[in-house]
Amino acid sequence: MANNKSLHEIFEEIGTKTKVSDKVAILQDHESDGVKAILRGAYDTRIDWLVPNTPPPYTPNESPSYDLADSKLEVAAMELGKFATFNGNPTNQGLNIPQVQRENHFIQLLESLHETEADLLKNVIKRKLPYKGLTPNLVNQAFPNLLPEEDAQPKK
């Protein structure tokens, strides 16, 4: 299904709802591999990011809207394995990529995304999505078993 909303807009919409069932429905209505990849990247503790979580030196994309940017995060999310390990092992996408090249590619990705989506991706790397009500627990209610059960439990 073609989506006419950016991931940022979808996740922002979740914050406008009060009922958990409405939030779950928004995620399920926008289900895609890209959405799931972003949510796993933010909340799955088996994933370790290989790019610094400090603000990278990049020039924000000046596209007036997300659909006019060079890339869309929902599509680009399918390549995030280049920037991460899973359970301590490199992903197939990330094998044999020198760290400098990895970081340069990450900067290029940020520059290709609309500013709101680049900000979202930077928050994924920091493992903190700034959207009200978008929690690991909500993610697993929408997509059972997407995250390990211990990641979906509220922190005590």
Side-chain angles (χ1 to χ4, degrees):
M1 149 186 117
N3 197 343
N4 58 359
K5 285 185 177 179
S6 72
L7 296 185
H8 166 73
E9 292 167 327
I10 294 166
F11 296 162
E12 253 191 350
E13 185 183 347
I14 289 169
T16 68
K17 304 298 179 192
T18 51
K19 289 175 27 195
V20 170
S21 59
D22 292 340
K23 296 173 193 236
V24 166
I26 291 168
L27 281 177
Q28 290 174 337
D29 289 347
H30 295 91
E31 179 177 359
S32 71
D33 291 340
V35 166
K36 289 178 174 180
I38 291 299
L39 295 170
R40 283 187 67 205
Y43 294 133
D44 191 330
T45 56
R46 297 171 298 181
I47 295 172
D48 286 313
W49 292 103
L50 299 174
V51 291
N53 70 2
T54 54
Y58 78 104
T59 306
N61 189 305
E62 295 183 2
S63 296
S65 66
Y66 106 98
D67 54 343
L68 297 176
D70 301 323
S71 300
K72 292 180 179 57
L73 186 54
E74 187 167 354
V75 175
M78 301 318 299
E79 295 182 27
L80 292 181
K82 294 177 187 170
F83 310 113
T85 60
F86 187 79
N87 279 336
N89 299 307
T91 65
N92 289 340
Q93 291 177 327
L95 282 175
N96 304 320
I97 298 177
Q99 185 62 18
V100 169
Q101 186 179 342
R102 185 186 328 273
E103 290 179 22
N104 284 336
H105 188 95
F106 186 70
I107 288 169
Q108 290 167 356
L109 174 57
L110 289 172
E111 290 177 343
S112 73
L113 295 168
H114 184 263
E115 199 170 353
T116 57
E117 292 206 308
D119 287 345
L120 170 52
L121 180 54
K122 290 185 295 185
N123 281 305
V124 168
I125 302 299
K126 292 178 186 171
R127 300 190 169 284
K128 184 159 178 51
L129 296 183
Y131 301 99
K132 186 173 175 240
L134 184 55
T135 64
N137 188 26
L138 181 76
V139 170
N140 263 10
Q141 285 182 53
F143 310 123
N145 303 315
L146 182 66
L147 302 174
E149 201 51 48
E150 59 272 15
D151 292 347
Q153 296 306 312
K155 301 281 184 265
K156 299 217 175 345

